[in-house]
Amino acid sequence: MSKPVEKVLLFCSDFLTINATFWLWSRLRVHAGYFSEPLPQQFLINALVIFLFWFLLFIFYGLYRTWYAQSRVDELINVGKTVSIGVFLIFLMTIDLQQDVAGPLRFSRAMIVSYWLLLAVFVSMGRLALRTFQRTLLESGIGMRNTLIVGDGKAAQDIFDELRKFPALGYEIAGFLGAGAFQNYKGAPRLGELCEIAEVIKRENVEEVIVAFENEARAQVSEVLARCEDLPVKIKVVPDLHDAVMGHVRTHQIYGLPLIEIMPDLMPAWERRAKRWFDIGVALLALIFLLPLGVIIAGAVRSHRRGGVLTADLRIGRDGKLFKLYRFNASATEDTMPGGWLSFIRSMGWDKMPHLLNVLKGNLSLVGPSAEAPDIVRKNLQECPIYSRRLHVQPGLTGWAQIKGEKDGLHGNLQRALQYDFFYIENMSLRMDLKILLIALYNAMINSRVERASKSLSPSMIHE
């Protein structure tokens, strides 16, 4: 079934089960004698508000993402966790400090446990029925995705046998790509060489590519990714034993078949718009809140530095577009006046405050890969062609690589930083952004305390 149909059916299932749960729970409360029968109009309003709350929470926790033969047990676990969090939030939002905290919990309040159980069971049953229906369609050959296996050895043959054994996975094998000896394997033809992958994908209407190289040929994975960079396909890689044992990859498994999804869909359009509005809102609030501090910093820079208060550096943004990244003119140069103020401003990170102007302009996001200079981007592209995938997303003030202590600059560990950046790109969501922002805020608070403690132990002011 198509993605829009799947999402509509999911929405309908959740709408029915959430409202059915609320109706049944309301009847239980009335029957217990703790609540009177609500007016029909009021009941409908309450039901719609409750459903909207759950709908937004389900979106936030990724329960409306596209599903293909994933474990139904995993989905039930995700539903259970999300429902538990939501019920806890409802309990906190409706708490009465005088009656619920000062004294023992009333039975009428304890009835929220019954709502939690009913909702978890009803929503799980609705989704389980829909997922079972989807799997039945796949097993009947309906909704299969045209798939290309890239590889020419035993690993490619083994993955072909596994996919044929489990049609519920939804893979319809179009053929193989590679320079191996076999021209036809169990009815699946060899469609060409690796250098022809773009033409084969377009000609065969391929939707998914599964990379299954032997250990000695795994260096070709980067070539596959580079050649498929701008093609509308999903890429999965069969991990080798070393990666799986050492824990270097996190695989998705169903029927015991491990696959690493390398290039999944990025944020849907609605979530990208929500991310942009979130960036604008937070940047505006931060600029208003930090305005007095900004005026003080501007005065300090003006008194210690000749020239403008702001400086601008060229950076590469989304899709390779150049933009000017603003900051306070507090860099460590020879003309810095004594006193240590500019050094202190830099150590606290306050010189980067004008970056918020770039967020408002749309050059930066709050969260994303770091914005690099043109010479660094050119160098990284030469070293690693798949670095170009990083340029498909908006750079950010902070990101997964930054909070992990990795940077893409000339002196950074490029491979390590790209691992973190690609992890973020492949898991982009508002929830992921919020998590990164909270970690970055916590790290900034810790670093600020350490900086103040180190200065208090210093025998004299540090001069530039």
Side-chain angles (χ1 to χ4, degrees), residues 373-434:
D375 57 339
I376 295 177
V377 172
R378 284 192 294 268
K379 175 181 177 293
N380 291 343
L381 283 172
Q382 291 174 356
E383 292 183 8
C384 186
I386 61 172
Y387 184 87
S388 59
R389 176 163 172 76
R390 187 183 179 278
L391 302 178
H392 288 323
V393 299
Q394 197 87 309
L397 295 180
T398 187
W400 194 242
Q402 292 94 307
I403 65 174
K404 291 294 183 179
E406 299 291 344
K407 184 167 168 50
D408 293 358
L410 290 170
H411 305 292
N413 187 329
L414 176 60
Q415 183 177 4
R416 188 76 171 171
L418 280 181
Q419 289 178 350
Y420 288 126
D421 283 336
F422 287 160
F423 176 82
Y424 170 74
I425 292 171
E426 293 163 9
N427 294 276
M428 284 178 66
S429 66
L430 294 176
R431 182 175 53 153
M432 183 77 169
D433 281 9
L434 183 60

Side-chain angles (χ1 to χ4, degrees), residues 22 25 49-50 53-54 57 83-95 109 112 115 119:
F22 185 66
W25 187 61
V49 171
I50 288 292
F53 167 80
W54 287 113
L57 197 67
V83 167
S84 300
I85 293 171
V87 169
F88 181 68
L89 290 176
I90 292 175
F91 181 82
L92 291 181
M93 289 186 292
T94 58
I95 197 168
R109 291 288 290 160
I112 199 169
Y115 178 70
L119 187 65

Side-chain angles (χ1 to χ4, degrees), residues 248-266:
H248 291 165
V249 298
R250 184 177 181 180
T251 60
H252 167 71
Q253 298 193 35
I254 184 70
Y255 295 118
L257 182 66
L259 291 172
I260 310 167
E261 189 169 4
I262 300 296
M263 301 171 82
D265 293 332
L266 300 181

Side-chain angles (χ1 to χ4, degrees), residues 275-285 359-360 366:
K275 176 181 171 71
R276 177 61 185 149
W277 282 110
F278 179 75
D279 288 346
I280 293 174
V282 173
L284 276 175
L285 289 175
V359 175
L360 292 180
L366 292 176

Side-chain angles (χ1 to χ4, degrees), residues 4 37 63 114 119 178 224 241 258 267 327 363 428 442 453 459 464:
E37 186 77 36
L63 293 184
S114 63
L119 187 65
V224 174
L241 181 61
M267 277 183 162
R327 68 169 64 225
N363 305 131
M428 284 178 66
Y442 174 78
E464 294 183 86

Side-chain angles (χ1 to χ4, degrees), residues 187-206:
R190 176 176 167 270
L191 299 174
E193 305 285 344
L194 180 55
C195 61
E196 303 173 289
I197 187 170
E199 293 79 6
V200 171
I201 287 173
K202 295 174 183 177
R203 185 179 70 240
E204 302 292 334
N205 295 318
V206 172

Side-chain angles (χ1 to χ4, degrees), residues 199-216:
E199 293 79 6
V200 171
I201 287 173
K202 295 174 183 177
R203 185 179 70 240
E204 302 292 334
N205 295 318
V206 172
E207 300 173 74
E208 303 225 8
V209 174
I210 296 180
V211 182
F213 286 121
E214 299 294 320
N215 289 338
E216 61 272 12

